[in-house]
Amino acid sequence: MQLIELIERLDALLDASRVKDYCPNGLQVEGRGEVRRVLCGVTASQHLLDHAVAGGYDAVFVHHGYFWKGEDGRVNGIRRQRLKTLLANDISLIAYHLPLDLHPELGNNAQLGRLMGWRPDGRFADQELGWIGRPAESDAPESAEQLGRSIAARLGRDPLLVGDGARKVRRVAWCTGGAQGFFEQAIAAGADLYVSGEISEQTVHLARESGVPYIAAGHHATERYGARAIAAYIGDSLGLAADFIDLPNPV
């Protein structure tokens, strides 16, 4: 498949043109014109790029790419080495940030909800990035502590729970990655528990004072599943060889 066609297909799939973001979505670094193999991952780290080179991939697809709004645009140090790796090996970098969070089936939030068995029935926050719904079916509502244990079992990582762990959860809200800033909006939407990836100092006080517990389940841990779903889509729907690699990240 030609690179330009691949980008057109992904742009259409992820509806990238309608999303307001703070980085460019789509093709960030142009490589060879024909794409046969795509390596998918969460972040375009040097480690991921080295895997792409060693594996003979034509393109890399990630959630966290480059050229973020407000960052220093000079090409030196780590940025120079990453770009050198891509350009010297004629590998394209394809990145979709918020569009990958938003997709109703393949997105990070959709995939996390599916993994946990949560049943979404609403959206909240900026651009409707946050999801809210009912937890997995059970005989009686589980507590926040019990849901935290389920998250640990499924993500393979112990989350941090702050606030009232005994609170029964009839409505769970979630937004993957660094979306702790949506906590108040999750509370306003009627959540009994809010789950995201990261936590800030003020989040602890909000959880304690509102009575709504908060779970920080890991930025990387909650955002592994969108890129994995895209790898499956590229392979099944576009007929290209596509692999997902999960490079460990404790955050």
XYZ file of all heavy atoms in Angstrom, residues 131-223:
690
model
N -15.481 9.090 29.337
C -16.556 8.101 29.194
C -17.139 7.800 30.567
O -16.426 7.820 31.578
C -16.011 6.805 28.593
C -15.638 6.902 27.142
C -14.931 7.907 26.537
C -15.937 5.958 26.121
N -14.765 7.633 25.204
C -15.380 6.440 24.918
C -16.610 4.741 26.109
C -15.479 5.753 23.711
C -16.720 4.044 24.908
C -16.162 4.554 23.723
N -18.435 7.504 30.608
C -19.090 7.140 31.855
C -20.125 6.051 31.576
O -20.719 6.011 30.488
C -19.743 8.361 32.531
C -20.262 8.011 33.930
C -20.842 8.975 31.665
C -20.631 9.217 34.772
N -20.316 5.188 32.536
C -21.286 4.117 32.353
C -21.366 3.233 33.576
O -20.966 3.625 34.683
N -21.850 2.037 33.376
C -22.034 1.092 34.471
C -20.854 0.119 34.519
O -20.345 -0.290 33.477
C -23.337 0.319 34.270
C -24.592 1.196 34.379
C -25.807 0.450 33.890
N -25.742 0.224 32.437
C -26.518 -0.629 31.780
N -27.384 -1.382 32.436
N -26.402 -0.750 30.475
N -20.463 -0.250 35.720
C -19.389 -1.257 35.811
C -19.865 -2.614 35.329
O -21.032 -2.787 34.965
C -19.043 -1.268 37.303
C -20.152 -0.582 37.991
C -20.922 0.218 37.014
N -18.974 -3.557 35.311
C -19.328 -4.907 34.873
C -20.453 -5.462 35.736
O -20.549 -5.161 36.928
C -18.102 -5.811 34.945
N -21.294 -6.251 35.124
C -22.444 -6.804 35.839
C -21.986 -7.698 36.983
O -21.060 -8.483 36.858
C -23.327 -7.603 34.878
C -24.042 -6.745 33.849
C -25.074 -7.542 33.076
O -25.900 -8.203 33.723
O -25.028 -7.503 31.839
N -22.674 -7.557 38.126
C -22.429 -8.415 39.278
C -23.714 -8.473 40.102
O -24.657 -7.712 39.871
C -21.274 -7.879 40.132
O -21.575 -6.591 40.632
N -23.756 -9.372 41.064
C -24.956 -9.533 41.884
C -25.249 -8.287 42.711
O -26.402 -7.972 42.987
C -24.802 -10.747 42.800
C -24.744 -12.054 42.020
O -25.271 -12.082 40.895
O -24.153 -13.020 42.526
N -24.203 -7.587 43.120
C -24.353 -6.367 43.910
C -23.249 -5.400 43.506
O -22.178 -5.826 43.047
C -24.276 -6.685 45.395
N -23.471 -4.085 43.659
C -22.433 -3.113 43.300
C -21.132 -3.377 44.056
O -21.152 -3.646 45.258
C -23.051 -1.775 43.711
C -24.517 -2.009 43.739
C -24.696 -3.427 44.166
N -20.038 -3.332 43.344
C -18.738 -3.517 43.977
C -18.235 -2.198 44.541
O -18.661 -1.119 44.135
C -17.733 -4.072 42.970
C -18.030 -5.488 42.509
C -16.933 -6.037 41.627
O -16.510 -5.334 40.700
O -16.512 -7.177 41.878
N -17.324 -2.284 45.472
C -16.702 -1.089 46.032
C -15.573 -0.614 45.120
O -15.109 -1.345 44.232
C -16.139 -1.381 47.419
O -15.020 -2.268 47.319
N -15.124 0.609 45.366
C -13.983 1.136 44.613
C -12.748 0.267 44.821
O -11.969 0.052 43.888
C -13.702 2.579 45.031
N -12.574 -0.246 46.046
C -11.426 -1.124 46.307
C -11.515 -2.398 45.476
O -10.506 -2.866 44.931
C -11.363 -1.471 47.791
C -10.905 -0.321 48.675
C -10.828 -0.708 50.136
O -11.382 -1.776 50.493
O -10.227 0.053 50.904
N -12.702 -2.976 45.374
C -12.873 -4.190 44.575
C -12.611 -3.921 43.098
O -11.953 -4.731 42.417
C -14.286 -4.735 44.778
C -14.517 -5.358 46.141
C -15.971 -5.725 46.376
O -16.877 -4.919 46.161
N -16.208 -6.966 46.805
N -13.092 -2.779 42.595
C -12.817 -2.432 41.206
C -11.327 -2.188 40.991
O -10.783 -2.515 39.935
C -13.622 -1.201 40.792
C -15.054 -1.465 40.351
C -15.776 -0.155 40.059
C -15.078 -2.346 39.113
N -10.680 -1.622 41.985
C -9.234 -1.426 41.892
C -8.500 -2.742 41.743
O -7.535 -2.846 40.975
N -8.946 -3.760 42.440
C -8.312 -5.080 42.314
C -8.565 -5.681 40.928
O -7.683 -6.349 40.359
C -8.824 -6.012 43.414
C -8.303 -5.652 44.807
C -8.534 -6.771 45.795
N -9.932 -6.921 46.150
C -10.521 -6.284 47.158
N -9.826 -5.431 47.903
N -11.800 -6.495 47.435
N -9.754 -5.435 40.384
C -10.040 -5.913 39.026
C -9.146 -5.220 38.009
O -8.653 -5.845 37.061
C -11.510 -5.654 38.680
O -12.365 -6.414 39.505
N -8.936 -3.926 38.188
C -8.044 -3.175 37.297
C -6.629 -3.733 37.371
O -5.966 -3.935 36.348
C -8.079 -1.674 37.655
C -9.429 -1.062 37.272
C -6.930 -0.926 36.968
C -9.636 0.351 37.787
N -6.167 -4.002 38.585
C -4.818 -4.553 38.755
C -4.674 -5.888 38.039
O -3.659 -6.154 37.370
C -4.502 -4.711 40.241
N -5.686 -6.730 38.154
C -5.622 -8.048 37.531
C -5.592 -7.954 36.014
O -4.863 -8.696 35.349
C -6.818 -8.889 37.984
N -6.351 -7.031 35.448
C -6.448 -6.935 33.986
C -5.299 -6.154 33.359
O -4.864 -6.467 32.254
C -7.795 -6.337 33.592
C -8.962 -7.305 33.791
C -10.304 -6.608 33.651
N -11.407 -7.567 33.674
C -11.885 -8.146 34.778
N -11.332 -7.871 35.953
N -12.893 -8.993 34.712
N -4.820 -5.138 34.060
C -3.726 -4.325 33.506
C -2.355 -4.838 33.904
O -1.339 -4.399 33.355
C -3.868 -2.858 33.941
C -5.137 -2.113 33.521
C -4.992 -0.623 33.831
C -5.447 -2.315 32.045
N -2.303 -5.739 34.879
C -1.013 -6.246 35.321
C -0.180 -5.202 36.024
O 1.054 -5.235 35.988
N -0.862 -4.278 36.709
C -0.176 -3.171 37.382
C -1.051 -2.720 38.546
O -2.245 -2.508 38.372
C 0.026 -2.019 36.409
C 0.688 -0.792 36.994
C 0.622 0.360 35.988
N 1.381 1.518 36.430
C 0.940 2.431 37.273
N -0.272 2.308 37.821
N 1.696 3.474 37.606
N -0.467 -2.541 39.716
C -1.233 -2.094 40.870
C -1.576 -0.613 40.734
O -0.674 0.232 40.644
C -0.452 -2.316 42.165
C -0.327 -3.787 42.522
O -1.224 -4.555 42.126
O 0.660 -4.151 43.187
N -2.860 -0.260 40.718
C -3.239 1.150 40.623
C -3.159 1.826 41.985
O -3.075 1.159 43.027
C -4.691 1.077 40.136
C -5.204 -0.186 40.734
C -4.037 -1.149 40.738
N -3.212 3.151 41.983
C -3.254 3.931 43.213
C -4.678 4.422 43.411
O -5.230 5.125 42.570
C -2.295 5.122 43.129
C -2.346 6.107 44.308
C -1.935 5.410 45.605
C -1.456 7.314 44.039
N -5.290 4.040 44.546
C -6.634 4.462 44.897
C -6.548 5.505 45.996
O -5.899 5.286 47.022
C -7.458 3.258 45.375
C -8.797 3.553 46.059
C -9.788 4.178 45.088
C -9.372 2.272 46.671
N -7.200 6.652 45.785
C -7.301 7.670 46.832
C -8.778 7.962 47.071
O -9.603 7.886 46.159
C -6.547 8.965 46.457
C -5.062 8.711 46.336
C -7.075 9.569 45.162
N -9.100 8.282 48.315
C -10.489 8.558 48.657
C -11.161 7.353 49.286
O -10.499 6.435 49.786
N -12.471 7.348 49.235
C -13.294 6.359 49.928
C -13.330 5.046 49.160
O -14.154 4.842 48.270
C -14.712 6.922 50.097
C -15.639 5.975 50.854
O -15.142 4.981 51.408
O -16.859 6.249 50.891
N -12.463 4.126 49.544
C -12.399 2.849 48.856
C -13.604 1.969 49.088
O -13.856 1.045 48.313
N -14.388 2.257 50.143
C -15.563 1.447 50.446
C -16.800 1.895 49.662
O -17.820 1.207 49.684
C -15.863 1.504 51.942
N -16.713 3.015 48.969
C -17.889 3.517 48.252
C -18.329 2.526 47.175
O -17.513 2.022 46.390
C -17.591 4.868 47.612
C -18.755 5.424 46.799
C -18.626 6.886 46.518
N -19.715 7.370 45.662
C -20.077 8.643 45.560
N -19.457 9.569 46.280
N -21.058 9.002 44.764
N -19.629 2.249 47.137
C -20.180 1.363 46.125
C -20.238 2.099 44.782
O -20.638 3.261 44.715
C -21.570 0.895 46.523
C -21.602 0.078 47.814
C -20.740 -1.179 47.704
C -20.822 -2.024 48.973
N -19.943 -3.235 48.893
N -19.847 1.406 43.743
C -19.730 2.038 42.423
C -20.867 1.563 41.525
O -20.868 0.420 41.041
C -18.366 1.717 41.779
C -18.268 2.388 40.411
C -17.235 2.179 42.685
N -21.818 2.444 41.313
C -22.907 2.180 40.371
C -22.665 2.870 39.037
O -23.221 2.462 38.018
C -24.240 2.626 40.974
C -24.657 1.794 42.189
C -25.878 2.353 42.891
N -26.289 1.468 43.989
C -25.756 1.501 45.208
N -24.790 2.378 45.480
N -26.168 0.672 46.141
N -21.840 3.936 39.072
C -21.482 4.666 37.856
C -19.969 4.881 37.878
O -19.433 5.479 38.810
C -22.183 6.025 37.787
C -23.697 5.952 37.816
C -24.262 5.597 36.467
N -24.111 6.699 35.519
C -24.216 6.572 34.200
N -24.435 5.373 33.681
N -24.101 7.602 33.401
N -19.277 4.391 36.865
C -17.829 4.569 36.773
C -17.523 5.452 35.576
O -18.085 5.286 34.497
C -17.104 3.199 36.657
C -17.564 2.401 35.454
C -15.596 3.401 36.610
N -16.637 6.426 35.782
C -16.173 7.298 34.699
C -14.695 7.038 34.471
O -13.965 6.723 35.415
C -16.411 8.769 35.051
N -14.267 7.180 33.218
C -12.856 6.941 32.923
C -12.391 7.756 31.731
O -13.164 8.097 30.846
C -12.587 5.458 32.707
C -13.169 4.829 31.469
C -12.547 4.617 30.269
C -14.511 4.308 31.296
N -13.395 3.998 29.375
C -14.602 3.796 29.984
C -15.627 4.238 32.123
C -15.773 3.227 29.486
C -16.791 3.669 31.627
C -16.853 3.169 30.321
N -11.111 8.062 31.748
C -10.441 8.691 30.608
C -8.966 8.365 30.734
O -8.326 8.690 31.740
C -10.664 10.202 30.590
S -10.121 10.984 29.042
N -8.425 7.692 29.744
C -7.069 7.160 29.827
C -6.014 8.262 29.796
O -6.289 9.406 29.438
C -6.807 6.188 28.668
O -6.883 6.917 27.436
C -7.825 5.063 28.658
N -4.797 7.907 30.185
C -3.661 8.815 30.073
C -3.586 9.827 31.203
O -3.797 9.512 32.367
N -3.307 11.070 30.842
C -3.113 12.129 31.828
C -4.336 12.993 32.014
O -4.238 14.217 32.002
N -5.491 12.375 32.208
C -6.766 13.109 32.247
C -7.269 13.340 33.662
O -8.472 13.431 33.895
C -7.816 12.364 31.424
N -6.358 13.454 34.642
C -6.794 13.731 35.995
C -7.521 15.067 36.104
O -8.324 15.279 37.019
C -5.607 13.692 36.967
C -4.537 14.745 36.722
C -3.419 14.258 35.836
O -3.666 13.563 34.860
N -2.192 14.609 36.159
N -7.278 15.961 35.151
C -7.934 17.265 35.156
C -9.424 17.212 34.886
O -10.131 18.212 35.062
N -9.919 16.072 34.454
C -11.357 15.918 34.194
C -12.117 15.378 35.413
O -13.316 15.067 35.303
C -11.589 14.960 33.017
C -11.116 15.463 31.688
C -10.827 14.574 30.653
C -10.949 16.813 31.443
C -10.403 15.027 29.419
C -10.509 17.283 30.216
C -10.241 16.380 29.198
N -11.457 15.270 36.551
C -12.075 14.644 37.723
C -13.361 15.375 38.149
O -14.402 14.757 38.383
C -11.060 14.598 38.864
C -11.458 13.774 40.048
C -12.568 12.941 40.025
C -10.704 13.812 41.223
C -12.925 12.174 41.131
C -11.048 13.050 42.328
C -12.172 12.245 42.279
N -13.294 16.690 38.255
C -14.484 17.445 38.670
C -15.639 17.263 37.686
O -16.808 17.190 38.092
C -14.143 18.919 38.821
C -13.289 19.229 40.041
C -13.079 20.716 40.242
O -12.124 21.256 39.655
O -13.863 21.325 40.992
N -15.333 17.186 36.402
C -16.383 16.975 35.414
C -16.968 15.568 35.513
O -18.155 15.358 35.259
C -15.829 17.249 34.016
C -15.416 18.714 33.837
C -14.702 18.955 32.527
O -15.283 18.803 31.455
N -13.439 19.346 32.597
N -16.129 14.604 35.888
C -16.636 13.252 36.105
C -17.593 13.221 37.292
O -18.643 12.555 37.257
C -15.472 12.287 36.343
N -17.249 13.940 38.351
C -18.128 14.034 39.517
C -19.459 14.672 39.123
O -20.538 14.179 39.477
C -17.444 14.834 40.641
C -16.209 14.091 41.152
C -18.427 15.106 41.779
C -15.339 14.909 42.082
N -19.386 15.764 38.355
C -20.600 16.453 37.918
C -21.468 15.563 37.031
O -22.700 15.706 36.998
C -20.234 17.734 37.177
N -20.830 14.630 36.321
C -21.569 13.716 35.439
C -22.233 12.582 36.212
O -22.963 11.787 35.619
C -20.631 13.150 34.376
N -21.970 12.493 37.525
C -22.626 11.489 38.347
C -21.805 10.260 38.654
O -22.359 9.225 39.057
N -20.483 10.347 38.526
C -19.633 9.181 38.764
C -19.493 8.876 40.252
O -19.404 9.785 41.083
C -18.253 9.411 38.155
N -19.465 7.594 40.580
C -19.119 7.136 41.930
C -17.636 6.832 42.042
O -17.121 6.633 43.143
C -19.905 5.865 42.262
C -21.402 6.103 42.290
O -21.858 6.994 43.028
O -22.117 5.401 41.545
N -16.959 6.766 40.902
C -15.522 6.485 40.839
C -15.006 7.030 39.518
O -15.674 6.914 38.490
C -15.257 4.976 40.898
C -13.833 4.501 40.589
C -12.872 4.921 41.693
C -13.786 2.986 40.392
N -13.823 7.656 39.568
C -13.193 8.119 38.331
C -11.846 7.433 38.183
O -11.047 7.379 39.128
C -13.010 9.634 38.343
C -12.380 10.189 37.086
C -12.808 9.789 35.826
C -11.337 11.120 37.145
C -12.232 10.292 34.668
C -10.765 11.638 36.000
C -11.214 11.218 34.764
O -10.638 11.721 33.614
N -11.601 6.908 36.996
C -10.364 6.193 36.689
C -9.643 6.908 35.555
O -10.236 7.186 34.508
C -10.651 4.739 36.264
C -9.345 4.010 35.934
C -11.413 4.000 37.347
N -8.361 7.216 35.776
C -7.523 7.760 34.709
C -6.131 7.163 34.847
O -5.943 6.172 35.561
C -7.493 9.294 34.768
O -6.844 9.817 33.620
N -5.173 7.762 34.166
C -3.837 7.192 34.193
C -2.937 7.780 35.255
O -2.246 7.056 35.974
N -2.960 9.106 35.384
C -2.032 9.797 36.269
C -2.773 10.454 37.425
O -4.003 10.542 37.429
C -1.250 10.853 35.485
C -0.383 10.288 34.381
C 0.429 11.365 33.682
O 0.463 12.520 34.164
O 1.028 11.064 32.641
N -2.013 10.947 38.382
C -2.585 11.656 39.518
C -1.721 12.859 39.853
O -0.494 12.816 39.719
C -2.719 10.727 40.748
C -3.509 11.403 41.860
C -1.359 10.230 41.218
C -3.950 10.446 42.959
N -2.374 13.943 40.261
C -1.687 15.154 40.705
C -1.965 15.383 42.185
O -2.903 14.793 42.752
C -2.159 16.372 39.897
O -1.852 16.222 38.531
N -1.200 16.251 42.793
C -1.334 16.504 44.235
C -2.758 16.915 44.603
O -3.338 16.422 45.579
C -0.323 17.584 44.647
C -0.168 17.769 46.148
C -1.152 18.771 46.738
O -1.762 19.527 45.962
O -1.302 18.786 47.974
N -3.344 17.802 43.808
C -4.676 18.304 44.145
C -5.769 17.248 43.969
O -6.852 17.365 44.543
C -5.012 19.539 43.300
C -5.130 19.288 41.817
C -3.825 19.536 41.082
O -2.754 19.428 41.670
N -3.916 19.896 39.806
N -5.475 16.210 43.193
C -6.461 15.156 42.976
C -6.798 14.446 44.278
O -7.946 14.045 44.500
C -5.926 14.136 41.952
O -5.424 14.817 40.808
C -7.011 13.169 41.517
N -5.823 14.285 45.147
C -6.033 13.607 46.420
C -7.074 14.355 47.248
O -8.007 13.765 47.800
C -4.704 13.486 47.197
C -4.930 12.873 48.577
C -3.705 12.666 46.398
N -6.935 15.659 47.325
C -7.864 16.457 48.132
C -9.269 16.433 47.541
O -10.258 16.359 48.280
C -7.357 17.899 48.231
C -5.946 17.994 48.726
N -5.573 17.575 49.998
C -4.807 18.427 48.123
C -4.275 17.767 50.153
N -3.788 18.280 49.035
N -9.350 16.485 46.222
C -10.661 16.452 45.572
C -11.367 15.128 45.854
O -12.575 15.098 46.129
C -10.504 16.669 44.068
C -11.787 16.719 43.240
C -12.742 17.785 43.764
C -11.447 16.992 41.770
N -10.638 14.031 45.823
C -11.235 12.725 46.105
C -11.717 12.652 47.553
O -12.816 12.153 47.835
C -10.224 11.619 45.822
N -10.911 13.137 48.470
C -11.279 13.080 49.880
C -12.476 13.980 50.188
O -13.389 13.592 50.922
C -10.088 13.488 50.740
C -8.951 12.473 50.753
C -7.717 13.034 51.454
N -6.651 12.034 51.550
C -5.409 12.321 51.932
N -5.084 13.582 52.250
N -4.497 11.367 51.999
N -12.474 15.180 49.632
C -13.498 16.157 49.995
C -14.807 15.958 49.240
O -15.875 16.326 49.738
C -12.945 17.561 49.768
C -11.796 17.896 50.705
C -11.076 19.191 50.364
O -11.702 20.088 49.764
O -9.868 19.305 50.694
N -14.755 15.372 48.068
C -15.979 15.142 47.293
C -16.670 13.846 47.676
O -17.869 13.675 47.430
C -15.643 15.102 45.799
O -14.888 13.935 45.480
N -15.902 12.912 48.250
C -16.439 11.599 48.551
C -16.381 10.636 47.383
O -16.776 9.475 47.506
N -15.897 11.110 46.228
C -15.778 10.267 45.035
C -14.329 9.790 44.921
O -13.425 10.608 44.743
C -16.191 11.029 43.764
C -15.972 10.155 42.519
C -17.647 11.466 43.853
N -14.063 8.509 45.031
C -12.690 8.019 44.947
C -12.118 8.136 43.534
O -12.863 8.211 42.551
C -12.804 6.560 45.384
C -14.226 6.194 45.127
C -15.032 7.441 45.302
N -10.802 8.124 43.489
C -10.069 8.268 42.225
C -9.045 7.146 42.136
O -8.368 6.830 43.120
C -9.362 9.629 42.184
C -8.532 9.879 40.941
C -9.078 10.508 39.835
C -7.189 9.490 40.885
C -8.319 10.749 38.697
C -6.428 9.724 39.750
C -6.998 10.354 38.664
O -6.251 10.581 37.541
N -8.940 6.564 40.956
C -7.925 5.533 40.712
C -6.992 5.996 39.604
O -7.436 6.320 38.501
C -8.565 4.187 40.333
C -9.221 3.537 41.559
C -7.519 3.239 39.748
C -9.879 2.193 41.282
N -5.691 6.047 39.917
C -4.654 6.298 38.914
C -4.096 4.941 38.501
O -3.394 4.288 39.282
C -3.555 7.184 39.490
N -4.426 4.519 37.297
C -4.094 3.159 36.856
C -2.857 3.104 35.972
O -2.490 2.023 35.498
C -5.290 2.546 36.136
N -2.227 4.248 35.717
C -1.024 4.272 34.891
C -1.280 4.860 33.516
O -2.184 4.418 32.812
N -0.496 5.868 33.134
C -0.664 6.500 31.819
C -0.429 5.479 30.703
O -1.277 5.270 29.842
C 0.302 7.672 31.691
C 0.011 8.579 30.541
N 0.024 9.954 30.656
C -0.311 8.329 29.240
C -0.282 10.501 29.484
N -0.472 9.520 28.611
N 0.714 4.841 30.753
C 1.036 3.846 29.734
C 0.099 2.649 29.818
O -0.399 2.166 28.790
C 2.488 3.382 29.896
C 2.891 2.292 28.960
N 3.372 2.540 27.689
C 2.869 0.933 29.102
C 3.635 1.392 27.088
N 3.338 0.404 27.915
N -0.164 2.191 31.029
C -0.978 0.989 31.208
C -2.381 1.144 30.654
O -2.958 0.194 30.112
C -1.041 0.618 32.687
N -2.953 2.339 30.775
C -4.317 2.549 30.275
C -4.355 2.856 28.783
O -5.432 2.805 28.177
C -5.014 3.697 31.029
O -4.256 4.908 30.897
C -5.186 3.357 32.504
N -3.205 3.170 28.198
C -3.206 3.575 26.790
C -2.497 2.589 25.865
O -2.118 2.923 24.749
C -2.607 4.984 26.641
C -3.498 6.039 27.283
C -3.194 7.449 26.859
O -2.003 7.773 26.635
O -4.136 8.243 26.771
